[in-house]
Amino acid sequence: MSSEQTPTPETAVPQTADAAGERPRRLVYAAALAALEGIALVVAGGYVLVLGLTGAGDDRQQAVTGGITLLVLALLPLLAARGLWLRRRWSRGPAVITQILALPVAYNLLQAESIAIGAGIALAVVSVAALVLLVNPATTRALGITGPGRAE
């Protein structure tokens, strides 16, 4: 190898997580939790939609509308999860909004007197964990988000 092909310390690429293209674990976990919520909404929406279309529910129109609504709502966490995975700056906003909207749903599930209490606990834990991961400094750095008045 000639001296032109051998990188010097000044031209060598630093081996940081960002330069190597590696995602911080916290970002991967946040993307996974958002994807999990999106998949759960798709499953629930599909289930309610099938019940409505087969006439198994009490009110067919309400079941179909509810199923379609859940399927459309699943787009937000799924798109946010994909954006987080690809390290897109815009994706943190929809991911945070999804988690904030999930907390009242978890609270309502906790008020039920059925098996929904377990679902409420699980949703609350996932939402709080995802929020903690999304506001973590390693996550914001990986997404290229700076604080107000901090230009890089």
Side-chain angles (χ1 to χ4, degrees):
M1 274 175 76
S2 69
S3 62
E4 294 170 318
Q5 294 174 337
T6 307
T8 62
E10 295 83 30
T11 61
V13 177
Q15 291 301 316
T16 63
D18 291 334
E22 296 176 17
R23 292 169 192 83
R25 282 186 297 183
R26 290 178 177 99
L27 183 60
V28 171
Y29 296 153
L33 290 176
L36 177 69
E37 288 173 332
I39 291 168
L41 282 170
V42 168
V43 169
Y47 177 74
V48 171
L49 187 60
V50 167
L51 284 179
L53 292 175
T54 59
D58 294 335
D59 186 2
R60 180 179 179 167
Q61 183 179 0
Q62 185 177 7
V64 170
T65 303
I68 292 172
T69 301
L70 288 174
L71 290 172
V72 170
L73 286 175
L75 291 175
L76 184 64
L78 290 174
L79 288 172
R82 184 173 190 275
L84 289 171
W85 182 257
L86 296 174
R87 295 169 40 174
R88 302 291 191 249
R89 183 180 304 193
W90 60 264
S91 64
R92 192 176 84 153
V96 169
I97 290 169
T98 299
Q99 305 317 316
I100 291 171
L101 290 175
L103 290 173
V105 174
Y107 178 78
N108 283 336
L109 290 173
L110 290 171
Q111 301 303 309
E113 295 181 11
S114 66
I115 195 159
I117 293 174
I121 292 170
L123 182 58
V125 168
V126 167
S127 296
V128 170
L131 278 171
V132 169
L133 292 168
L134 288 167
V135 299
N136 188 281
T139 302
T140 56
R141 273 193 308 274
L143 294 173
I145 297 171
T146 59
R150 295 183 186 148
E152 288 187 15

